[in-house]
Structure formats: C-alpha cells, structure tokens
C-alpha cells in the first residue's frame, strides 16, 4: 500500500500508471540508480542552498542578488559550491537510508491501516505522514554531521567579500582546507557532539516537515487527478468516462507530480523556516563567554535573532529556501517516481 490506494477513485476515471510498492522493486538497481540521479539533482540545486545558508547566518538583511554578485566577484563560481564534495558524499548514504525507510514504512503502515478498517484516503494520509516522519529521523543520523561540515565550508570566506564584511562576526574562526580537514578539526575541538550540533532542532525541523510534505503531496496528487477526471465529463456505469478513453501520457503524469510537490513544499517551507534558521545558526555560529568562544544554545540563538530583527529575522533566506524546496521537491519526486519505474522488477520476477 502506498499512493496507489489514494488514487483508486481517479484511476476509475483516468488511467494513470499504477504505483510501484517496495516489494516490486529491484533493490540493488533502486539504490545504485538513485545515487546517480540524486547526485545530479543535488549538483544543480546546491548554489541555492549556499545562498540560503549565508542569508540565515547573516546578522544583516542582504538580498539574494547582492549576495550572488558578491560571491561571483570575490570567490568565483567555486564559491557557490563550497562544501559540495562533502555534501555529496554524505547525501548518497543518507538518501539511500531515507528512501529505504520511506518505502518500507509507507508499505507496512498503509497495509496495517487498511486492515484496521480506515478508508483508502485516510490510510494513505496516515501512511505518508508516518513514512515522512520515520525517514527524516533516520536520515538525520547521517545528514546532521554532513550539514555541520558542509555549512561551515559554505560560509568560510564569506567575510572576505567587502560587501558582506562582518556580516557574520560570530562564524567559527577555524579555517578548513576541505571537508575531511573540517571533520577532523571539529571532532578534535568539540568531540562527537560537535558533529551533531543542532541534531535535536534538526529532528524538530525535518521530521514534522517531511510528515506534512508527504501527507500534503499524496492528498494534492489525488485531488488534482480527481479534478482532471471530474472536468472531463460523465462516467458510464463501469466508472470510465464515456467517450473519452483518456490515458495521460508521461508528460501529464510528471506535470501533476511536479505541481503536487510544489504545493506541498510551499506550506512546509513557510511553517518550518524559523526552525531551519535556528538549526543553521546553531551548526555554524559560536557565542562568546568571558572571551572564550563556545557553541551557542537554542535560547541564545533565538535571543540574537529577536535582537537583530524580530520574527522577520527568522525568515531570512525564505526566498531561496522556498525556491530550493519547490525545485528540489519537484525534481526529486519526478526523479524518484522515474527511478521506481526504472527499478521495477519484471512480471516474471514478481510471479516467481
């Protein structure tokens, strides 16, 4: 059971491709192709993540265009890809863990809720929420250390640009040659806790965000197809639209998936933006106590944000994050569905 249960009504009207469950996948092909496809997606979207991160840790409001020009002028194209190698190496196992937990949870919870007597729509919403929650929590075990290292690299050199000088005065003063050097120095200075800075707030940010996103996505997906089917005419006694014979092509399917993903992303980004800003600052910035630099607490971070600009300071970087989440989610979900179809077992394998 996955999104297929939520789409039964629309399938009686329009013949969209059947969903592919966990047991129908060739697991080795699924994870191998997934690593390759999602690496390409990450590379395309990484510059937006760098912009978002720098805006979030800045103590002043700096526009995306001004920051982009500053990075290009003082750091070149390479500035938009600071920490990308580290992020990519961590994304592959994190994404594999995320997808595995997502599919297993969606399938098992969906089947269980249907057996308990829930309607297909309710069962789909519960399964999607549980899958999003579990997969985010599992992936954060890998993603948090990668976030800490890659974000330190992203903001390194930021104060070298004249237009942004002193914009992040509390950024960690240690200089890193690369991701491995950053990992070693953070571990030496702060121990394992240093690599898991902001782990709690990351769970509070991404777990509910993923639960909301997958629930919204599955419901939006069903509603859009239902709306398309309903607008096409009257059904006959078998439930198929009379005279239409409508069978959407792959472009229509991808368009609906993309629109559903963008709708889910907008709500999720708006709700979780303050938590994401706090998380990023916890992982990147230090505070001072009697002249000694120490990791900041959640309360200190919130106090600083309020002092810098109130609630609006919590939403610095909302534009890039909204754009990043929408483009990422749209690209990821279409890539993800495409990946599942590439990785589907043959009928012979399923029947044996």
């Amino acid at each position: 059971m996955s999104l297929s249960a939520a789409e039964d009504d629309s399938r009686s009207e329009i013949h969209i491709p059947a969903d592919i469950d966990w047991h129908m996948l060739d697991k080795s092909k699924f994870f191998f192709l997934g690593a390759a496809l999602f690496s390409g997606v990450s590379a395309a979207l990484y510059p937006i993540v760098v912009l978002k991160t720098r805006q979030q840790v800045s103590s002043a409001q700096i526009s995306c265009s001004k920051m982009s020009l500053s990075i290009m002028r003082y750091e070149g194209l390479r500035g938009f890809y600071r920490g990308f190698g580290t992020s990519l190496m961590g994304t592959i196992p994190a994404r594999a863990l995320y997808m595995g937990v997502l599919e297993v949870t969606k399938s098992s919870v969906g089947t269980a809720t249907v057996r308990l007597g829930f309607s297909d729509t309710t069962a789909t919403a519960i399964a999607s929420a549980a899958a999003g929650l579990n997969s985010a929590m599992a992936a954060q075990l890998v993603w948090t250390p990668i976030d800490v290292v890659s974000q330190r690299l992203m903001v390194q050199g930021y104060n070298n640009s004249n237009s942004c000088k002193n914009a992040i005065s509390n950024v960690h003063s240690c200089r890193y040659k690369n991701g491995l050097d950053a990992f070693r120095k953070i571990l030496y200075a702060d121990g394992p806790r240093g690599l898991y800075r902001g782990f709690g707030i990351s769970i509070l940010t991404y777990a509910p965000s993923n639960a909301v996103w997958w629930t919204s996505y599955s419901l939006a997906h069903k509603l859009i197809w239902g709306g398309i089917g309903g607008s096409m005419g009257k059904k006959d006694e078998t439930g198929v639209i009379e005279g239409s014979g409508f069978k959407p092509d792959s472009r229509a399917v991808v368009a609906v998936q993309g629109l559903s993903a963008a709708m889910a992303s907008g709500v999720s980004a708006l709700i979780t933006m303050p938590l994401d800003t706090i998380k990023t600052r916890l992982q990147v910035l230090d505070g001072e106590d009697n002249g000694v630099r120490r990791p900041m607490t959640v309360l200190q971070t919130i106090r600083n944000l309020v002092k810098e600009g109130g609630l609006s300071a919590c939403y610095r970087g909302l534009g890039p994050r909204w754009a990043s989440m929408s483009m990422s989610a749209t690209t990821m979900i279409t890539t993800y569905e495409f990946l599942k179809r590439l990785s589907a077992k043959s009928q012979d394998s399923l029947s044996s």
Side-chain angles (χ1 to χ4, degrees):
M1 151 71 189
S2 57
L3 294 183
S4 54
E7 296 166 356
D8 285 345
D9 292 341
S10 23
R11 282 206 187 99
S12 66
E13 301 174 358
I14 47 180
H15 309 290
I16 62 176
D19 195 34
I20 298 170
D21 284 331
W22 179 247
H23 70 278
M24 301 165 66
L25 295 172
D26 180 330
K27 309 302 186 295
S28 58
K29 187 186 288 186
F30 180 68
F31 288 121
F32 178 77
L33 290 176
L37 288 171
F38 286 115
S39 294
V41 172
S42 297
L45 298 175
Y46 195 78
I48 300 176
V49 178
V50 172
L51 282 175
K52 176 204 69 111
T53 301
R54 292 197 177 191
Q55 281 194 323
Q56 285 179 318
V57 300
S58 175
S59 58
Q61 184 69 44
I62 301 174
S63 68
C64 289
S65 57
K66 184 177 181 181
M67 188 168 289
S68 298
L69 289 171
S70 176
I71 293 172
M72 184 59 73
R73 180 179 178 184
Y74 293 99
E75 303 171 56
L77 186 61
R78 187 178 178 183
F80 288 101
Y81 283 90
R82 284 186 180 272
F84 176 67
T86 301
S87 179
L88 185 61
M89 292 304 293
T91 295
I92 293 173
R95 184 66 64 183
L97 182 61
Y98 181 92
M99 292 189 297
V101 173
L102 180 78
E103 286 299 319
V104 170
T105 305
K106 198 191 297 183
S107 182
S108 58
V109 173
T111 302
T113 48
V114 168
R115 286 176 180 170
L116 288 172
F118 288 94
S119 67
D120 286 343
T121 301
T122 303
T124 300
I126 293 171
S128 297
L133 193 70
N134 284 356
S135 57
M137 292 177 69
Q140 281 308 310
L141 293 170
V142 180
W143 252 320
T144 299
I146 297 303
D147 258 355
V148 171
V149 173
S150 62
Q151 286 174 349
R152 294 277 185 95
L153 293 170
M154 283 181 201
V155 301
Q156 186 167 269
Y158 185 19
N159 282 339
N160 291 339
S161 57
N162 292 336
S163 63
C164 303
K165 191 162 285 186
N166 300 321
I168 46 174
S169 56
N170 287 331
V171 72
H172 202 280
S173 57
C174 190
R175 304 295 298 174
Y176 309 114
K177 298 176 184 176
N178 49 47
L180 189 61
D181 182 54
F183 181 88
R184 182 179 59 81
K185 287 179 178 176
I186 293 169
L187 196 61
Y188 178 78
D190 302 322
R193 287 185 62 184
L195 293 171
Y196 279 89
R197 266 200 198 189
F199 179 71
I201 198 75
S202 294
I203 294 292
L204 288 174
T205 300
Y206 292 121
S209 174
N210 271 264
V212 169
W213 193 94
W214 281 104
T215 303
S216 302
Y217 171 78
S218 63
L219 294 176
H221 199 237
K222 175 182 170 61
L223 287 171
I224 292 170
W225 279 122
I228 293 172
S231 67
M232 295 196 62
K234 187 172 65 175
K235 292 183 287 183
D236 64 18
E237 56 193 17
T238 66
V240 178
I241 299 173
E242 292 181 350
S244 69
F246 178 63
K247 185 176 181 181
D249 58 18
S250 58
R251 287 178 297 180
V253 172
V254 167
V256 171
Q257 289 170 347
L259 180 59
S260 302
M263 290 168 64
S265 297
V267 177
S268 184
L270 199 60
I271 291 172
T272 61
M273 185 67 203
L275 289 172
D276 189 65
T277 300
I278 294 168
K279 174 196 75 71
T280 301
R281 287 191 165 216
L282 280 173
Q283 292 175 334
V284 174
L285 303 183
D286 284 334
E288 283 196 16
D289 184 12
N290 296 324
V292 179
R293 298 182 78 90
R294 298 182 186 278
M296 297 178 71
T297 66
V298 173
L299 286 176
Q300 286 175 325
T301 303
I302 294 172
R303 197 178 298 123
N304 288 345
L305 280 167
V306 171
K307 190 184 298 182
E308 289 171 17
L311 185 62
S312 63
C314 296
Y315 282 88
R316 283 180 188 153
L318 177 62
R321 184 167 188 252
W322 193 315
S324 174
M325 281 189 71
S326 295
M327 288 190 289
S328 176
T330 302
T331 309
M332 290 289 184
I333 197 63
T334 51
T335 302
Y336 179 65
E337 296 291 349
F338 176 62
L339 170 63
K340 285 171 69 175
R341 300 193 187 283
L342 284 179
S343 306
K345 294 177 181 177
S346 64
Q347 290 299 321
D348 293 338
S349 300
L350 288 172
S351 59
S352 61

